[in-house]
Amino acid sequence: MKRKSKKRKVKSNFTNKKDSYENKNTAKIVLFIFGIGPIIGIIIFLASKGFFNSPQI
């Protein structure tokens, strides 16, 4: 059986770490947009309809 050279293995690990780092950043951005975005949208919608105004008697 042939063994992989150490040089190739190190290069492979380096690219995997870079891809993993980019995937983590992308995941954080996506979660922020889809997690915080709708909440902000709902707050703006309710504020425009007067939901946060105190009732007048």
Side-chain angles (χ1 to χ4, degrees):
M1 289 177 29
K2 292 183 179 180
R3 290 186 179 182
K4 292 183 180 178
S5 65
K6 288 185 179 181
K7 197 178 221 182
R8 188 172 223 174
K9 200 174 208 181
V10 170
K11 187 177 181 183
S12 176
N13 286 340
F14 178 73
T15 56
N16 288 341
K17 287 181 182 178
K18 185 178 180 184
D19 291 341
S20 175
Y21 180 72
E22 289 175 355
N23 286 341
K24 287 180 183 178
N25 282 343
T26 304
K28 287 178 184 178
I29 292 170
V30 169
L31 286 174
F32 181 77
I33 290 172
F34 288 104
I36 302 298
I39 294 171
I40 293 172
I42 291 169
I43 290 171
I44 291 171
F45 174 77
L46 291 174
S48 69
K49 299 295 180 183
F51 180 79
F52 297 110
N53 296 338
S54 59
Q56 297 178 359
I57 299 175

